[in-house]
Amino acid sequence: MRDDERMSTEELHDSTITDLLRHLQQLRRAVPVNYQLKAELREKLLERMREMELQHSPQPPDRDVGRRWSVWGIYGGAVVLILAAVLLLVTRDAIVVREEELAGLRMAQSAEQVALAPDGEHIAYVANGDRLYTRPLSEDQQESRFILPATTGRYRAVAWSHSGRQLAVVEENQQVNRIWLVETDPDGAVRASSRLLKEEKGAVYHTPSWSPDNLSIAYTRMTGGKEEIWVSSTLSLQEKRVTEGSQPDWSPDGGSIAFVKGGTVSVLNLRTGEVRTIGPGTWPAWIAPDQIAYTTPQGNLVVARLEEKSVESDMLPVPAAMKDRIVRADWSRDRKEILISYQAGQSLAFGFAVRR
Amino acid sequence: MWKWLLALVLIVQCLIAIPAAADEPFDLSIHLPLGGVIKNNQWTRVEVSITNNGGERFSGEMEFGDEPHSGLNRAIYRQAITLDAGETKNVPIDLPAEMLMQGPTEVRLIKGEQVMATEEFPPITPKGERVVGVIADEPSAFHFLAIGSDQRLDNWIPFTVQHFEPDALPDQSWILKNLDMIAIGPLTSGKLKENQLAALKEYVRRGGVLILSARPGDDELVQQFRDLLPVAGGQGGMLTNLGELERWTGSTPLPLSSIPVYNRQFLLITAKQIDGGVYLFANYDVTAEPMASWQYNRQLWKKVLTQSKAVERMAEKDERSPLDVSLVSLSKLIPGVQVPSVGWIILIWLVYLLVLAPGLYLALKRWERREWAWGIIPVTAILLSVTVYLFGRTTVAEEDASYRVSMLRILDKDLTEVQTAASFLTVSGGSYSVRAENGFLAVPLAYNQVNMADDDTMMGTDGQGSKTIQFRNVPYLSIKQAVASGILRDIGSFDAVLQTNGDRLQGVIVNRTRLPMEEVYLNLGLQRIALGSLQPGEKKQVDAKIEEYVFPQQSDQDSPYERALNREQQIARQKEWLMNGESNQLRLIGVSSQPLHTLELLQQGQKHDWNVVVQNISLMPDASGHIVYPYGTLPVQKIDEKGIVDYRHPNIWNLGRGEVTFALSVDQSGLDVTKVEIPLDQSPYRPFRKEIYHAKTGKWKQLGREERVILGKELGEYLNREGQILVRFTNPTDQRFSLPQPYLRLEGVEKSK
């Protein structure tokens, strides 16, 4: 190629490059629009891909939703806690019924025919005047029947020892009245044995009550219409009269006996002989070293706190179904479970409750 | 991975040195004293003779434990031993007989890990019968003492008679206690050595029964026992007054009209209480005919043994096992030491495994440092262990501690039998020694009574001859236990002058022991009278009403091993059980925390002691010689039962359709009994049909439901040949009734001497 031709070629190339560059500049000015479009297209494509993913797999939790739930959860928990605290405060010292009426006890004619075990998990009752049963309060266990000594009379009262190993059972007979001690044999009721604690002609016994150490039994002895409380040793058979009255119950330390005389609950200090009046009522039961629960004449429960020089009494909130109808409250050893006997029409019903 | 682990385990197993049994270089032989007679509740001795036939000195251990194929793996006893070449050593192993009855055992000689020689222990069975050891020239002497071996009608535990050569008689009273009775004579003089005589006398004082039979002229033999009962020599002759024998023969003539006796001033048989035991002096030759074969000989001796309370003493001697569960269990409850519950430790580790470790891992994963878990998690596990140890150690115990629980039986002012169970806790573990009181027997115990083979425990003797127990390689906060028995001669005794006055027990008690008593009780049968504390030298007046206790106090109490009881309740109940002894006795019981040093931990630490002191008391007659034994202080035995009878508490029987017969001992030596009362009118006896045996007619007489038995002049008509009143209770129904043991009250006048 010649120089002048080369030169024009070069000049031609320069113009072409210039034109190309100019065209590129023009294109570049148009590029932002294209990039933007590209970005939009890309975003749309990603979104579409996500939608397709969600359709084929579970959706990942939304962080915002999770956070919302956390907040609600905390808030709800706080509300529940507050409500629980309110309920606890409001229902403090309340008796809550677990079972309004225990089945099969309607035949009982008196409150002392059924007794709550110290562990609060069993009851013992005499049925038909000649049979003794123990029954667990949980439904998955069966009741046990004990063979009592044959009698022409009837068995009328039962009381658990504090160890739960023995039952005091009162036999009422025209000729002679007896108190038997029956072992609650761990090997089965069939092998349980009885021993005669007391036997007397012309006297009627009822409402036996074991001392906390199980070495003595207090009971009501009635002769000639007069009721007295006697205490018999279960080891030496020594016995003594302690006071006039009925329905004895030993204090947790064994130093006092609560009893009823003339429709009034009183407390006898066994060491000093001092008698202290508590209030009108029946069926006293020690629920603390310085507290006695008893049934008012109106059929409700009262807790009397024995201060040094006075007695402070408070009504115990009772279930509505039993209000104004309570005959007796029999307490477990830890004073949390209660067997309540109450009037249900013409007969007695027995309910099981717990105390908060 | 698991294949590698399995291979590793197999390699380790192969590397464990299998002890090789070597023979020949050593000869081992085992010898048991008393011909292998042992009592379950006594200590005994196993004598091991070892001869080193090898040419080198041997220095290793002698071990007494389970045979390898027995399935157990316990070393009951281990001690170091050295033997020169050619030397023979006799090594005594003193241990409770109960430990010999727990399976096939052997004696092993061990050097390092190698068993050099073994010798099987001969199988032994404790005698169910009572064993009478006879030492006499005549081999068949005292054969009539095999009482009741051919009949078990009346619940009498039969006796078996075993003859011993005088040389074979041990010279330790505690070994002799494996015999229920020892009968001596007639015996050529000089056959019993001084140490044997001393052991015999101490055996009697410690509750044994010793019979000595003497011919006229047996002065040397009789005078050797004069400190037990002085019987003057040189007064032999013929005894023609045989009234003692005639009551057995009735109208049948006696086989002889007179008997040659050692001393004409003495009865045919004289019984004397010597501290805890009985000495019976037979004033004639029991081996001589016709008396030796006399048909009523057994009945005569049965009566003598009953009336003299020899039978009671035999039972008392075996009352408590050296491994008494009550003592051992109580000693584990070291005051101030609260062993952590395994449950807490498991809980801490569960929290770590289920919460902390996964939490750490997740945190590391979040921080993208997962590979750090290989280091961090094991390190935190180690840190947790160290923290639990450092923190837990101080809550269990701040320093080393020991607790000795002892039962002391005062036999005389200079003789007290002691039985101790002790527990030792060292906070840091390691090795430490325990030393027994001089003259005491002692053995270590496995804490859980299961496997002692891993315990590095060595018996030894210190320079003063006291037994030592060395516990080695004890893990930290581990409790080790040991038991010991022996005699203390410096305790002293209580002086008690007690009489019954109507329905009251009155008198004075003086504490002449060296132990301050925090509580003292009088156990009058089943009745317990609290007397309060009593310091050494202090006197206390007693004036208490006597009650008719029918039932033992434990009948409605929780067992001390009930799980529902907390620690304090368990301790209280176990102490209560230790203080409740047998009924039918009058006993003083004291409680003291004075240290006794029967088992001493040879390092600093908290040392706690709790001792129960027991002493039998006799009631004194009043000025006119009149004496009253209240209810529950005289022996009563069940001698027969039929039908459905069982019992779950001492002294209480549950009777279904069946009957039980009791023998109430009335005949008391040295006492003319004037009145006996048996309160069968009490309510527990009313549901039963009651009968009393009229010995004169041989018939049973029925008693009324509310009838109390009171016998005065007619008492003799109701006494059987053994001097007992028999009472029978029958329950004709299927209803089960509880029957308490009947009791009697006895009044009498001391026989003029």
Side-chain angles (χ1 to χ4, degrees):
Chain A
M1 192 179 280
R2 291 196 304 225
D3 288 342
D4 55 347
E5 284 180 358
R6 204 183 293 118
M7 282 291 287
S8 37
T9 307
E10 284 177 358
E11 284 174 0
L12 184 64
H13 282 165
D14 283 340
S15 69
T16 306
I17 289 170
T18 306
D19 286 340
L20 189 61
L21 286 172
R22 196 183 307 118
H23 182 65
L24 280 174
Q25 277 178 356
Q26 284 172 354
L27 277 177
R28 208 169 271 133
R29 273 187 225 113
V31 158
V33 176
N34 289 338
Y35 273 133
Q36 194 173 358
L37 182 63
K38 186 180 171 185
E40 283 174 7
L41 284 172
R42 191 178 170 206
E43 207 175 305
K44 280 187 184 166
L45 185 64
L46 283 174
E47 202 178 313
R48 183 63 191 148
M49 281 172 67
R50 262 186 247 125
E51 281 171 12
M52 286 180 68
E53 264 182 35
L54 278 173
Q55 278 175 5
H56 292 293
S57 60
Q59 290 196 10
D62 188 351
R63 281 191 184 176
D64 285 341
V65 169
R67 212 172 288 137
R68 275 202 294 274
W69 275 110
S70 301
V71 169
W72 276 111
I74 292 169
Y75 178 66
V79 167
V80 165
L81 275 172
I82 291 166
L83 275 174
V86 167
L87 274 170
L88 204 62
L89 287 168
V90 166
T91 60
R92 187 183 51 178
D93 210 19
I95 293 177
V96 175
V97 171
R98 284 278 166 87
E99 204 166 329
E100 191 170 315
E101 184 174 348
L102 296 168
L105 297 178
R106 277 288 182 133
M107 86 301 273
Q109 291 162 348
S110 74
E112 58 178 345
Q113 280 182 281
V114 185
L116 180 67
D119 61 7
E121 295 174 11
H122 297 80
I123 57 168
Y125 63 97
V126 286
N128 298 334
D130 63 352
R131 292 176 203 175
L132 175 66
Y133 294 91
T134 60
R135 183 206 294 180
L137 290 167
S138 63
E139 289 176 5
D140 55 354
Q141 292 177 41
Q142 291 189 333
E143 66 179 15
S144 303
R145 182 186 160 187
F146 291 80
I147 301 171
L148 291 173
T151 178
T152 53
R154 51 186 295 114
Y155 290 94
R156 60 169 289 174
V158 64
W160 289 86
S161 69
H162 287 266
S163 65
R165 291 171 189 270
Q166 294 189 77
L167 289 161
V169 185
V170 174
E171 177 194 349
E172 188 181 20
N173 197 311
Q174 277 187 344
Q175 287 86 37
V176 64
N177 278 245
R178 299 183 178 101
I179 298 178
W180 293 90
L181 302 183
V182 180
E183 273 184 29
T184 55
D185 194 311
D187 296 331
V190 176
R191 284 170 48 85
S193 60
S194 309
R195 65 171 161 114
L196 182 60
L197 177 70
K198 268 204 68 67
E199 179 181 81
E200 192 177 349
K201 291 178 186 160
V204 175
Y205 300 134
H206 57 90
T207 56
S209 170
W210 290 78
S211 63
D213 58 10
N214 303 311
L215 299 181
S216 302
I217 290 183
Y219 52 92
T220 308
R221 176 179 176 270
M222 191 164 71
T223 50
K226 190 168 143 194
E227 288 182 326
E228 295 172 328
I229 292 173
W230 284 64
V231 171
S232 280
S233 166
T234 58
L235 301 182
S236 70
L237 310 178
Q238 176 194 21
E239 58 185 26
K240 62 178 180 183
R241 174 192 177 283
V242 291
T243 187
E244 277 187 27
S246 62
Q247 299 176 4
D249 191 61
W250 291 82
S251 63
D253 63 358
S256 303
I257 291 181
F259 65 99
V260 175
K261 184 180 173 187
T264 302
V265 172
S266 303
V267 169
L268 165 71
N269 185 318
L270 290 168
R271 193 173 51 85
T272 63
E274 180 196 343
V275 176
R276 206 167 157 188
T277 303
I278 306 300
T282 53
W283 294 110
W286 289 83
I287 59 171
D290 61 345
Q291 292 182 32
I292 299 175
Y294 59 92
T295 309
T296 64
Q298 294 75 33
N300 295 306
L301 290 179
V302 160
V303 172
R305 222 164 273 106
L306 276 62
E307 310 286 343
E308 198 174 316
K309 293 195 175 164
S310 62
V311 177
E312 304 286 327
S313 297
D314 293 309
M315 296 297 293
L316 199 59
V318 296
M322 300 170 184
K323 202 168 180 320
D324 301 330
R325 297 194 280 157
I326 292 177
V327 173
R328 179 190 184 192
D330 190 5
W331 299 72
S332 63
R333 186 169 44 212
D334 60 5
R335 314 304 178 192
K336 287 185 181 159
E337 289 85 16
I338 317 164
L339 179 74
I340 301 178
S341 54
Y342 60 98
Q343 288 293 339
Q346 298 296 317
S347 56
L348 270 182
F350 291 84
F352 180 61
V354 292
R355 185 188 180 195
R356 287 228 197 97
Chain B
M1 175 70 176
W2 64 267
K3 291 178 193 171
W4 287 109
L5 280 172
L6 181 63
L8 187 66
V9 166
L10 285 170
I11 290 166
V12 168
Q13 286 285 329
C14 293
L15 287 175
I16 290 171
I18 300 164
D23 48 13
E24 292 135 21
F26 299 96
D27 284 333
L28 280 177
S29 64
I30 298 174
H31 169 69
L32 285 172
L34 297 176
V37 173
I38 58 171
K39 276 273 175 194
N40 210 27
N41 279 2
Q42 298 293 340
W43 288 76
T44 190
R45 170 167 284 179
V46 176
E47 287 163 351
V48 181
S49 176
I50 310 171
T51 304
N52 182 0
N53 296 323
E56 289 178 358
R57 190 166 195 261
F58 171 79
S59 188
E61 293 173 5
M62 183 190 72
E63 191 178 277
F64 178 70
D66 297 311
E67 281 184 4
H69 54 266
S70 69
L72 299 168
N73 189 18
R74 297 169 307 160
I76 300 168
Y77 193 102
R78 190 190 283 119
Q79 74 176 71
I81 189 161
T82 53
L83 277 168
D84 291 325
E87 186 185 1
T88 298
K89 254 189 190 170
N90 291 323
V91 181
I93 301 176
D94 300 331
L95 71 177
E98 206 175 312
M99 284 182 164
L100 297 178
M101 301 174 204
Q102 293 173 358
T105 46
E106 64 179 17
V107 174
R108 295 183 276 267
L109 211 56
I110 296 175
K111 183 166 184 167
E113 295 292 329
Q114 194 177 11
V115 175
M116 308 301 289
T118 62
E119 180 69 19
E120 269 185 32
F121 192 76
I124 49 168
T125 322
K127 299 278 185 185
E129 310 98 343
R130 293 205 162 110
V131 179
V132 182
V134 172
I135 302 137
D137 290 334
E138 175 62 44
S140 62
F142 293 98
H143 65 276
F144 53 83
L145 284 177
I147 296 171
S149 59
D150 53 348
Q151 48 169 329
R152 291 191 77 108
L153 293 178
D154 55 0
N155 218 46
W156 177 271
I157 298 175
F159 287 0
T160 183
V161 175
Q162 193 148 338
H163 188 93
F164 294 104
E165 291 301 319
D167 289 342
L169 196 70
D171 58 1
Q172 291 92 4
S173 59
W174 57 269
I175 301 180
L176 290 175
K177 284 179 76 177
N178 285 283
L179 296 170
D180 293 283
M181 194 155 63
I182 297 176
I184 300 175
L187 190 68
T188 308
S189 58
K191 283 198 172 177
L192 287 174
K193 301 186 190 60
E194 279 302 316
N195 53 349
Q196 289 174 316
L197 283 167
L200 280 167
K201 291 170 190 172
E202 193 170 85
Y203 160 81
V204 175
R205 296 183 72 195
R206 292 181 72 173
V209 177
L210 178 66
I211 302 175
L212 179 70
S213 165
R215 298 169 291 209
D218 270 343
D219 290 338
E220 191 172 332
L221 179 65
V222 173
Q223 297 313 313
Q224 282 176 330
F225 293 95
R226 63 177 174 278
D227 42 354
L228 293 183
L229 177 71
V231 182
Q235 296 186 26
M238 301 300 287
L239 184 72
T240 53
N241 179 4
L242 301 179
E244 266 179 275
L245 303 178
E246 281 165 351
R247 63 177 294 188
W248 295 99
T249 61
S251 56
T252 309
L254 286 170
L256 66 183
S257 57
S258 62
I259 296 177
V261 294
Y262 176 80
N263 186 315
R264 289 192 306 277
Q265 311 301 321
F266 273 72
L267 294 172
L268 211 56
I269 301 170
T270 303
K272 187 175 176 192
Q273 309 293 322
I274 310 280
D275 296 334
V278 178
Y279 176 57
L280 295 161
F281 175 65
N283 196 11
Y284 66 102
D285 182 355
V286 300
T287 63
E289 298 294 350
M291 285 300 294
S293 307
W294 184 42
Q295 65 180 114
Y296 294 109
N297 213 359
R298 273 188 187 167
Q299 284 94 323
L300 169 67
W301 278 94
K302 202 170 156 194
K303 186 204 169 188
V304 166
L305 293 172
T306 307
Q307 195 184 49
S308 63
K309 298 189 182 174
V311 176
E312 271 179 70
R313 296 294 172 258
M314 289 180 217
E316 271 175 34
K317 176 172 67 66
D318 294 335
E319 208 173 54
R320 284 201 183 269
S321 162
L323 305 177
D324 188 276
V325 169
S326 313
L327 288 177
V328 171
S329 303
L330 182 58
S331 75
K332 282 184 199 172
L333 302 169
I334 304 175
V337 168
Q338 189 73 33
V339 179
S341 157
V342 172
W344 274 110
I345 296 170
I346 292 173
L347 180 66
I348 290 169
W349 275 103
L350 279 175
V351 165
Y352 175 78
L353 286 172
L354 299 177
V355 177
L356 289 177
L360 265 175
Y361 176 76
L362 288 172
L364 289 171
K365 184 180 171 188
R366 189 176 173 77
W367 298 329
E368 295 181 3
R369 294 283 186 269
R370 250 188 299 185
E371 59 279 3
W372 289 12
W374 290 104
I376 288 180
I377 289 177
V379 166
T380 49
I382 293 167
L383 281 174
L384 177 71
S385 304
V386 171
T387 309
V388 166
Y389 165 71
L390 289 174
F391 178 71
R393 191 173 80 159
T394 55
T395 62
V396 171
E398 291 178 3
E399 56 178 323
D400 298 346
S402 66
Y403 191 27
R404 284 182 293 238
V405 178
S406 300
M407 176 69 74
L408 286 79
R409 191 167 149 236
I410 297 179
L411 300 167
D412 194 12
K413 60 180 184 299
D414 63 347
L415 188 69
T416 298
E417 282 194 326
V418 183
Q419 201 167 313
T420 298
S423 292
F424 311 97
L425 173 77
T426 47
V427 177
S428 306
S431 299
Y432 57 90
S433 292
V434 169
R435 183 182 60 217
E437 175 79 36
N438 203 354
F440 268 59
L441 306 164
V443 284
L445 282 185
Y447 182 61
N448 57 4
Q449 299 275 332
V450 176
N451 189 341
M452 268 188 71
D454 292 336
D455 288 352
D456 216 339
T457 309
M458 288 286 276
M459 294 295 303
T461 310
D462 71 2
Q464 282 84 41
S466 299
K467 289 205 188 291
T468 59
I469 303 172
Q470 193 185 20
F471 296 104
R472 301 184 297 195
N473 302 320
V474 177
Y476 78 97
L477 288 178
S478 293
I479 291 181
K480 291 294 177 186
Q481 287 192 290
V483 292
S485 293
I487 293 174
L488 289 176
R489 300 191 188 274
D490 63 344
I491 295 291
S493 65
F494 290 95
D495 282 348
V497 178
L498 294 171
Q499 296 169 343
T500 46
N501 190 356
D503 64 350
R504 301 199 75 83
L505 182 70
Q506 294 172 333
V508 173
I509 290 176
V510 183
N511 179 6
R512 298 215 189 277
T513 73
R514 64 172 172 84
L515 304 175
M517 300 290 173
E518 287 135 35
E519 300 162 48
V520 175
Y521 302 95
L522 257 178
N523 273 14
L524 193 68
L526 292 173
Q527 181 182 0
R528 178 186 287 181
I529 301 166
L531 300 177
S533 65
L534 206 58
Q535 299 303 309
E538 188 183 343
K539 194 189 291 191
K540 192 147 279 195
Q541 292 286 339
V542 176
D543 185 2
K545 187 166 186 291
I546 300 171
E547 307 286 354
E548 292 177 12
Y549 269 76
V550 188
F551 285 93
Q553 199 151 333
Q554 290 147 321
S555 58
D556 196 38
Q557 296 295 323
D558 293 316
S559 157
Y561 309 109
E562 289 265 347
R563 287 190 179 185
L565 299 177
N566 61 31
R567 185 184 154 97
E568 283 68 35
Q569 286 172 329
Q570 269 191 25
I571 291 172
R573 288 284 162 83
Q574 288 193 23
K575 286 182 176 178
E576 187 64 37
W577 275 49
L578 278 170
M579 290 193 293
N580 275 323
E582 292 289 314
S583 63
N584 303 331
Q585 279 177 347
L586 178 59
R587 274 184 170 183
L588 256 178
I589 297 185
V591 174
S592 173
S593 302
Q594 184 82 349
L596 284 182
H597 310 292
T598 47
L599 280 169
E600 190 75 24
L601 178 63
L602 297 177
Q603 59 189 50
Q604 293 297 320
Q606 280 279 332
K607 292 174 187 177
H608 306 274
D609 286 77
W610 192 78
N611 311 306
V612 176
V613 182
V614 174
Q615 181 177 331
N616 286 353
I617 302 287
S618 298
L619 286 169
M620 307 296 285
D622 61 19
S624 60
H626 185 248
I627 187 168
V628 175
Y629 287 93
Y631 295 105
T633 55
L634 289 171
V636 176
Q637 238 183 317
K638 178 180 75 74
I639 61 169
D640 193 24
E641 64 178 65
K642 287 193 178 81
I644 304 169
V645 181
D646 64 76
Y647 73 101
R648 233 175 293 118
H649 296 288
N651 308 320
I652 305 177
W653 283 264
N654 290 333
L655 193 56
R657 191 178 285 275
E659 63 182 48
V660 180
T661 306
F662 294 93
L664 291 75
S665 291
V666 170
D667 214 356
Q668 301 292 311
S669 61
L671 196 69
D672 279 326
V673 180
T674 56
K675 185 180 172 189
V676 167
E677 261 188 65
I678 309 173
L680 298 181
D681 57 324
Q682 288 179 340
S683 43
Y685 304 113
R686 290 187 186 179
F688 300 93
R689 188 174 74 224
K690 293 163 286 197
E691 296 164 288
I692 186 168
Y693 184 65
H694 191 242
K696 191 173 176 186
T697 58
K699 292 195 164 103
W700 288 90
K701 279 187 172 179
Q702 188 148 346
L703 296 167
R705 184 181 168 87
E706 295 173 39
E707 186 175 345
R708 192 175 186 100
V709 173
I710 301 177
L711 301 169
K713 288 186 186 141
E714 68 279 30
L715 174 63
E717 297 175 17
Y718 292 86
L719 289 180
N720 65 6
R721 283 187 174 148
E722 283 81 28
Q724 300 163 328
I725 294 175
L726 303 185
V727 178
R728 184 161 68 194
F729 298 86
T730 306
N731 176 11
T733 71
D734 291 318
Q735 167 67 37
R736 290 163 66 88
F737 291 118
S738 293
L739 172 67
Q741 186 183 69
Y743 296 101
L744 74 154
R745 179 178 179 276
L746 184 148
E747 289 182 32
V749 178
E750 267 193 323
K751 279 182 182 164
S752 48
K753 291 176 184 166

